[in-house]
Amino acid sequence: MSSSKLLLMYFLRLLVGFATTLVMVQGQGQLTRVGFYSRTCPTAESIVKQTVQTHFNSNPSVAPGLLRMHFHDCFVQGCDASVLLDGPNTEKTAGPNLGLRGSEVIDDAKTKLEAACPGVVSCADILALAARDSVVLTKGFTWNVPTGRRDGRVSLATETTNLPGFRDSIDVQKAKFQDLGLNTQDLVTLVGAHTIGTSACQFFRYRLYNFTTTGNGADETINPLFLDQLRSICPENGDAARRVDLDTGSASRFDATFFTNLKNGRGILESDQKLWTDATTKSFVQRFLGVRGLQALNFNLEFGKSMVKMSNIGVKSATNGEIRRICSAVN
């Protein structure tokens, strides 16, 4: 390889490195950057990592819980930890958030950080870091998390209508993502977080019985053999709270098998399976699967990029945010 080509490659790597180190938040002058706490609280990221590891060791379900919580936080009021605030009519009390898990991990990390570096690290940053650490603990790739967010002071249950729902069409899903500056590839990539975690029967059982008036009455996009399995786990009048893996056969490992399951008609949520049946999203699923003739995408690499993009939605600054002393209440 010529020296000019080597120099060009080196330059491009420098540009990529800079782009992932410093992120301008859309529509604001606020900057987040990798290593924001390197001087003010050098142990911040390691404290969060160790805390998540400890909780994960005793209860692995905190990993998908923390990832989902970060997602739900960013889609309402931006990534400002508003989802953690207690009180009547806060985001916590809204239907889509009643099943969120992992707040005890954030509280534990916050307590340790306040002891080490009082008033320095925001709850919003703890949640962003914990989401990344959760992916790594489930064998996914790591990525650099830009930090420097402030915590929000507003949390309203009425604003959770922005959250994507399990019955949403692809057009509705795309609109909700686009409203926040996320494109179709981001949509497919971030929904891929369902490669870990579970869902309760109540959120998909309607697909198994009386979904249509023809055939066996089930959603015709469900693989017939898989339908029998799901019906045995979630009888029509059975326990609505019983949980089912979102990524059958690989629910504890962060990988691309979730997309293989969609291709094979084994998606659990209706909104997930639609990623395969809609042409505008199917192409991205195929690229994650390495389908011949399409430019392949590495799911784990793309996931980190989309997470950085999402984690910079609506970042608060010192003028409209704060560093909470405890994550469940404003100062």
Side-chain angles (χ1 to χ4, degrees):
M1 185 178 292
S2 67
S3 59
S4 60
K5 287 184 178 179
L6 286 171
L7 185 61
L8 177 60
M9 289 178 63
Y10 177 72
F11 180 67
L12 288 173
R13 286 177 181 173
L14 284 177
L15 285 178
V16 171
F18 180 76
T20 59
T21 299
L22 192 63
V23 181
M24 176 70 79
V25 181
Q26 185 177 10
Q28 301 182 40
Q30 174 72 10
L31 288 172
T32 58
R33 58 183 171 84
V34 174
F36 182 85
Y37 298 111
S38 59
R39 292 186 178 181
T40 54
C41 191
T43 58
E45 294 200 22
S46 62
I47 289 174
V48 174
K49 180 180 179 180
Q50 290 164 11
T51 304
V52 175
Q53 173 83 67
T54 298
H55 285 264
F56 177 82
N57 288 346
S58 59
N59 179 14
S61 71
V62 300
L66 289 167
L67 190 55
R68 183 170 178 240
M69 184 181 292
H70 181 45
F71 183 97
H72 282 224
D73 181 42
C74 292
F75 265 69
V76 184
Q77 287 281 343
C79 306
D80 65 349
S82 54
V83 74
L84 297 171
L85 289 173
D86 286 336
N89 305 314
T90 59
E91 293 170 36
K92 263 188 180 180
T93 67
N97 290 334
L98 293 178
L100 290 181
R101 301 190 301 275
S103 59
E104 72 281 0
V105 184
I106 306 301
D107 291 340
D108 189 10
K110 180 61 172 175
T111 298
K112 292 172 181 174
L113 285 164
E114 285 299 300
C117 318
V120 173
V121 182
S122 69
C123 300
D125 279 342
I126 296 172
L127 186 50
L129 291 166
R132 185 270 312 276
D133 295 338
S134 295
V135 170
V136 175
L137 285 169
T138 49
K139 309 305 180 185
F141 289 6
T142 190
W143 65 89
N144 291 325
V145 177
T147 46
R149 301 164 188 79
R150 295 296 180 109
D151 298 321
R153 302 187 183 99
V154 178
S155 182
L156 301 171
T158 53
E159 295 187 353
T160 58
T161 53
N162 298 339
L163 289 167
F166 57 88
R167 290 178 184 256
D168 284 351
S169 68
I170 292 298
D171 285 343
V172 169
Q173 292 183 64
K174 287 197 293 187
K176 288 180 177 180
F177 276 70
Q178 287 168 0
D179 285 347
L180 297 173
L182 300 170
N183 60 32
T184 303
Q185 180 174 329
D186 295 318
L187 161 63
V188 178
T189 304
L190 292 171
V191 171
H194 287 167
T195 182
I196 57 174
T198 62
S199 176
C201 290
Q202 62 181 312
F203 298 120
F204 65 89
R205 187 165 55 187
Y206 68 92
R207 299 180 65 208
L208 313 181
Y209 310 94
N210 304 313
F211 187 82
T212 64
T213 56
T214 59
N216 57 19
D219 183 341
E220 61 183 14
T221 65
I222 303 175
N223 179 300
L225 294 176
F226 191 49
L227 174 63
D228 292 339
Q229 294 178 37
L230 292 179
R231 281 179 167 175
S232 67
I233 298 170
C234 300
E236 191 167 6
N237 297 309
D239 181 6
R242 186 169 183 183
R243 304 198 70 83
V244 175
D245 291 343
L246 285 167
D247 185 8
T248 305
S250 183
S252 61
R253 188 178 183 89
F254 203 91
D255 56 25
T257 59
F258 169 76
F259 299 109
T260 302
N261 278 325
L262 298 186
K263 180 189 72 171
N264 294 332
R266 298 168 71 87
I268 298 296
L269 302 181
E270 182 183 2
S271 56
D272 288 357
Q273 189 58 53
K274 284 175 177 174
L275 296 178
W276 180 255
T277 57
D278 186 281
T280 62
T281 50
K282 181 178 181 178
S283 61
F284 289 106
V285 176
Q286 291 175 314
R287 291 173 70 184
F288 283 134
L289 294 175
V291 171
R292 187 172 298 177
L294 296 175
Q295 183 179 359
L297 289 170
N298 184 298
F299 169 58
N300 266 289
L301 287 176
E302 297 303 322
F303 189 79
K305 295 176 186 177
S306 290
M307 283 292 284
V308 169
K309 194 173 175 182
M310 183 191 76
S311 72
N312 279 289
I313 295 171
V315 171
K316 303 295 188 292
S317 64
T319 57
N320 61 353
E322 63 185 16
I323 306 296
R324 289 184 210 144
R325 288 186 287 272
I326 58 172
C327 292
S328 58
V330 297
N331 292 341

